[in-house]
Amino acid sequence: MLSSPLPRRGLLGLALLPGIAGIARAQAPVAVVASFSILGDLVRQVAGDRARLRVLVGPDADAHDFQPRPSDAAAIRDAALVVRNGLGFEPWMDRLLRAAGGSPKVATAAQDVTPRRLPGGAVDPHAWQDVGNAVLYARRIAAALAEADPAGAATHATAGEALAARLRALDAWVREQVATVPPARRVVVTTHDAFGYFAAAYGVEFRAAQGISTEAEPSAAAVGRLIRQIRAENITAVFVENLRNQTAQRRLAAEAGVRLRGSLYADSLSPPDGPAPTYEAMIRHNVGLLVPAMRGEG
Ligand code: ZN
């Protein structure tokens, strides 16, 4: 399995491995609950089959207005570890944890992220849209898994660093892609304000008729303003999101005289047979749509 030379520390650690592996094989996988699909994928990338994973808000489902079921509380009660995003993304989580009982460790994936504040002071929870933040998520998740599953601590640490390295490469790829778009063309219209961290990290401006959460319908005034901006500034990158009401956005595009460039994945992954079944696939899918659309190609 180990094909590359290990650093000295790794070699010393190896002396312990057979014993640890023997114990680990005798144990059931550790029960982990992740709040939504994107975190579920990051947990799976680190833990592999050492975790029996339950994802509360699955593919193509909306964590902003999730209604927990009794079976979700039961899963939390039996879990060794619950992984949530934090930053207010799961407003239902604290109540669910209290109602569920049990004594799982609770890890907040976004704990080490610098929160983005919105005008008015609220915090934007969509930190994973900056791949640099996902590196921090990977490390936090690996540390939490190591604590919840001490027998697998070395495995989780190694897998966490491997994921972090892949995500750093992905972050560099996003920067390269965005750099091919002339700066004045880096404007995108989408459905809700989910891309603030992406915007700040990669220098792309996002505009949306709907706010940060998905509870309120966009106002007619906000939609009208966006339509005027699309026309006046010749904005070609107009998108829907996989979870949102697409009817309003279709009307907006029609009135602005532009075609929709596809569906961005903001707050959830796609099912396994869709275009964004993992976090890394989601970022590649979104950037693969955004870049040609901003350039006005096709
Ligand atoms: Zn959202």
Side-chain angles (χ1 to χ4, degrees):
M1 291 288 282
L2 299 167
S3 54
S4 58
L6 288 167
R8 190 168 292 278
R9 218 171 15 186
L11 276 174
L12 291 174
L14 250 175
L16 293 170
L17 271 179
I20 289 172
I23 294 164
R25 261 196 301 277
Q27 289 174 340
V30 63
V32 180
V33 172
S35 60
F36 77 116
S37 56
I38 290 169
L39 288 185
D41 173 60
L42 296 177
V43 168
R44 196 174 288 117
Q45 299 293 334
V46 176
D49 57 12
R50 289 197 69 95
R52 185 161 46 80
L53 178 64
R54 159 117 177 189
V55 176
L56 299 181
V57 185
D60 279 342
D62 189 352
H64 284 292
D65 63 359
F66 176 62
Q67 304 281 341
R69 299 145 294 193
S71 64
D72 297 322
I76 283 182
R77 191 164 50 244
D78 296 339
L81 173 64
V82 175
V83 182
R84 65 171 165 194
N85 183 71
L87 305 178
F89 185 59
E90 306 101 333
W92 37 268
M93 181 60 96
D94 283 339
R95 227 179 105 219
L96 178 58
L97 286 168
R98 273 197 307 275
S103 52
K105 295 178 190 300
V106 179
T108 302
Q111 185 174 310
D112 304 319
V113 162
T114 304
R116 179 180 165 266
R117 298 247 163 222
L118 300 164
V123 168
D124 179 353
H126 306 88
W128 59 86
Q129 290 293 349
D130 171 352
V131 183
N133 286 338
V135 173
L136 303 176
Y137 280 37
R139 296 222 167 96
R140 174 59 48 190
I141 287 168
L145 283 164
E147 220 183 291
D149 175 25
T155 311
H156 295 307
T158 305
E161 279 313 306
L163 176 59
R166 290 207 305 280
L167 295 175
R168 278 196 301 273
L170 182 61
D171 181 61
W173 176 80
V174 176
R175 284 171 205 286
E176 283 167 24
Q177 291 296 306
V178 172
T180 67
V181 182
R185 303 281 318 155
R186 295 177 193 165
V187 182
V188 176
V189 171
T190 184
T191 324
H192 91 299
D193 268 334
F195 292 94
Y197 288 89
F198 186 102
Y202 305 115
V204 173
E205 187 189 337
F206 282 77
R207 299 180 198 169
Q210 195 177 37
I212 208 77
S213 187
T214 48
E215 285 155 27
E217 284 293 306
S219 72
V223 172
R225 194 162 53 239
L226 259 185
I227 290 171
R228 286 193 298 278
Q229 289 172 356
I230 291 167
R231 287 184 184 145
E233 299 170 43
N234 185 27
I235 297 169
T236 49
V238 181
F239 289 92
V240 292
E241 291 166 24
N242 64 315
L243 300 183
R244 309 300 158 208
N245 177 359
Q246 302 189 349
T247 315
Q249 195 77 344
R250 284 183 200 292
R251 203 158 49 226
L252 176 146
E255 285 190 41
V258 296
R259 72 179 177 85
L260 289 170
R261 295 293 187 137
S263 187
L264 299 176
Y265 284 79
D267 292 6
S268 89
L269 301 179
S270 72
D273 58 350
T278 67
Y279 173 78
E280 290 164 270
M282 178 190 83
I283 295 293
R284 288 185 185 279
H285 167 83
N286 285 349
V287 171
L289 289 179
L290 286 166
V291 165
M294 287 191 286
R295 291 163 61 107
E297 293 167 0

